[in-house]
Amino acid sequence: MSMDPHREYCRRQHRLLAHHLSIEAWCAGDDCILLERNHLEEFLKLERFKSTRVQWLLEDIKPWFKHTEPVYDGPESELSSLEALYLSRVPIARKFLVRPDPINVDELIAWLRSNGLRIHLLDSVSAVIPPSEEQIVTRLALLAQGLAEP
């Protein structure tokens, strides 16, 4: 079965990001990372998301984060209106997915943590925002060879 080269490139990009983020969450002692749209855009080098790309992203990161919950800026049928992603290895109660108004993202994380959800923003767990593919591959190779610590 031959794969569309663009789809395969996107799958590799998504998997690389998911692998990196799963290590970051594990090192921070968290079950969940809130990944904002602007970080996704920077890492994936996109100015806008089409619904197909969002579907691919959700599909590709599933092995690392079984409970991925998208946050939309508009109607949920509009996948291109993706605002953020909750990437979690454990189920997230529905009440935590509805953002209390008015609240900024730092207050949201504090509220979620005070309610027992082990979560951080990407900025809090990763030294480089967003990491480049080269930085991620280098770090993963060093970790795999035992030449670096997580």
Side-chain angles (χ1 to χ4, degrees):
M1 174 172 101
S2 83
M3 178 72 69
D4 170 37
H6 177 66
R7 172 64 180 114
E8 192 54 38
Y9 169 77
C10 293
R11 181 186 326 269
R12 184 189 56 74
Q13 228 183 5
H14 299 159
R15 287 177 172 179
L16 186 62
L17 180 62
H19 193 82
H20 169 69
L21 293 176
S22 67
I23 291 172
E24 296 292 347
W26 170 61
C27 289
D30 288 331
D31 294 321
C32 186
I33 291 179
L34 181 59
L35 185 59
E36 296 177 286
R37 181 188 179 110
N38 61 323
H39 293 142
L40 275 171
E41 289 172 342
E42 287 178 52
F43 178 79
L44 300 174
K45 297 180 181 28
L46 295 173
E47 291 181 15
R48 63 189 176 108
F49 284 96
K50 292 187 178 178
S51 58
T52 301
R53 185 65 185 262
V54 174
Q55 280 300 123
W56 289 351
L57 176 64
L58 296 174
E59 176 185 314
D60 295 340
I61 61 179
K62 201 73 156 171
W64 287 267
F65 296 100
K66 302 272 188 239
H67 304 280
T68 301
E69 297 287 345
V71 178
Y72 299 100
D73 191 26
E76 287 196 27
S77 60
E78 284 294 319
L79 290 175
S80 58
S81 67
L82 182 71
E83 184 180 319
L85 282 176
Y86 284 96
L87 305 175
S88 182
R89 62 182 196 87
V90 298
I92 302 172
R94 201 48 56 198
K95 69 178 179 177
F96 295 132
L97 300 176
V98 178
R99 185 179 290 199
D101 285 326
I103 191 168
N104 69 35
V105 74
D106 293 319
E107 293 169 338
L108 173 65
I109 295 298
W111 177 74
L112 292 169
R113 289 187 72 76
S114 71
N115 281 282
L117 188 61
R118 295 178 355 179
I119 183 172
H120 269 101
L121 279 170
L122 177 61
D123 321 48
S124 303
V125 295
S126 187
V128 181
I129 307 293
S132 69
E133 289 183 48
E134 295 82 12
Q135 290 169 313
I136 293 174
V137 169
T138 300
R139 180 158 190 259
L140 293 177
L142 290 171
L143 288 170
Q145 295 299 317
L147 299 172
E149 293 181 9

